Amino acid sequence: MKIVPRSIPPVALSLTLLAIATTAVVYSPTLYRMFCEATGYGGTVSVTKALKPEQNGNVGPEVAVRFDANISPGLGWEFEPEQRQVKTHIGVPTTVYYRAKNISDHTIVGRATYNVTPDSAGYYFNKTECFCFTEQKLEPGESADMPIVFFLDQEMMEDIDTKSIRTITLSYTFFRQDSDEEAIAAAKPLREESEARAKALETAETAEFSNHTLRPQ
């Protein structure tokens, strides 16, 4: 008797492939971020919010947000927040700046990542697109003032793990990337990008915010 192999139902096959893809991206930070941005999985969701405090309705309690800056060895940049701390209110968009300067004698490409502590607060920390996760370049002696607009989601006050948090730290780290001719040509000009973003914010009434942080389990 001839045995005919049974075909896998399309739905089952799709679920299997999704499970494999999800497992793969979990073990690769870059793939995981791209996966979240494309699907909204893991908290990467965009939301449009008014930038004027009076347009945001009731606001939450005051929170101190601290800013930290780090560079990897050999980067050849100076990097620091223009303010070490600001006090804001939950639900209110707040604008701050980081400053980077290339102190070397050649063009360097860098890439930044960020994290928020306490970890449990990261899920509610939303910010506009900034200078992280992409290759950015600075020419010798060139500097850039990079704006960041952020707000803390008011749902933070309903979470038993975060409702009492009143101090949060936003930390960025810049890493050196390949800086050969091809990499330099492909990288975004950090100063130009930052100036354009700052100019747009001067007249913007709303902004799009996103969050790349997983909800703590």
Side-chain angles (χ1 to χ4, degrees):
M1 180 177 66
K2 184 177 181 180
I3 299 176
V4 180
R6 299 176 61 185
S7 61
I8 301 175
V11 174
L13 179 60
S14 298
L15 291 174
T16 301
L17 292 174
L18 178 60
I20 294 172
T22 304
T23 302
V25 297
V26 164
Y27 289 97
S28 169
T30 300
L31 289 175
Y32 186 78
R33 179 181 57 80
M34 293 171 65
F35 176 74
C36 289
E37 288 175 346
T39 64
Y41 177 86
T44 306
V45 178
S46 295
V47 58
T48 300
K49 189 175 181 68
L51 293 176
K52 295 181 180 180
E54 61 269 22
Q55 295 177 353
N56 287 300
N58 295 328
V59 300
E62 186 177 76
V63 177
V65 181
R66 299 171 179 171
F67 307 102
D68 183 40
N70 306 278
I71 56 173
S72 64
L75 179 61
W77 288 8
E78 292 177 344
F79 178 50
E80 62 183 0
E82 295 194 355
Q83 294 173 276
R84 287 294 175 182
Q85 177 177 298
V86 297
K87 290 187 177 181
T88 185
H89 288 266
I90 292 175
V92 177
T94 303
T95 303
V96 296
Y97 281 80
Y98 273 76
R99 181 178 178 82
K101 182 177 181 179
N102 183 350
I103 58 175
S104 75
D105 59 359
H106 54 281
T107 301
I108 296 178
V109 178
R111 182 185 179 96
T113 62
Y114 80 94
N115 70 286
V116 176
T117 53
D119 293 342
S120 56
Y123 182 76
Y124 301 102
F125 195 100
N126 299 270
K127 63 181 183 61
T128 53
E129 178 186 359
C130 63
F131 50 88
C132 55
F133 301 132
T134 57
E135 280 67 33
Q136 310 269 2
K137 61 185 175 185
L138 284 174
E139 297 180 1
E142 189 176 36
S143 62
D145 295 314
M146 302 162 286
I148 300 168
V149 187
F150 69 88
F151 79 93
L152 291 159
D153 195 308
Q154 290 178 317
E155 290 186 4
M156 175 178 171
M157 299 307 302
E158 301 172 8
D159 188 332
I160 191 171
D161 295 322
T162 58
K163 62 189 301 183
S164 62
I165 293 175
R166 293 296 178 269
T167 302
I168 294 172
T169 300
L170 172 64
S171 178
Y172 281 91
T173 301
F174 253 111
F175 296 89
R176 184 183 178 113
Q177 304 296 293
D178 289 338
S179 298
D180 55 23
E181 290 185 8
E182 184 177 353
I184 290 173
K188 295 181 178 181
L190 183 53
R191 181 173 181 173
E192 292 179 18
E193 293 273 326
S194 299
E195 288 177 348
R197 192 171 292 118
K199 186 175 182 179
L201 286 171
E202 290 177 359
T203 56
E205 295 184 358
T206 63
E208 187 175 90
F209 296 81
S210 61
N211 187 313
H212 296 274
T213 306
L214 284 169
R215 180 188 290 274
Q217 298 299 316

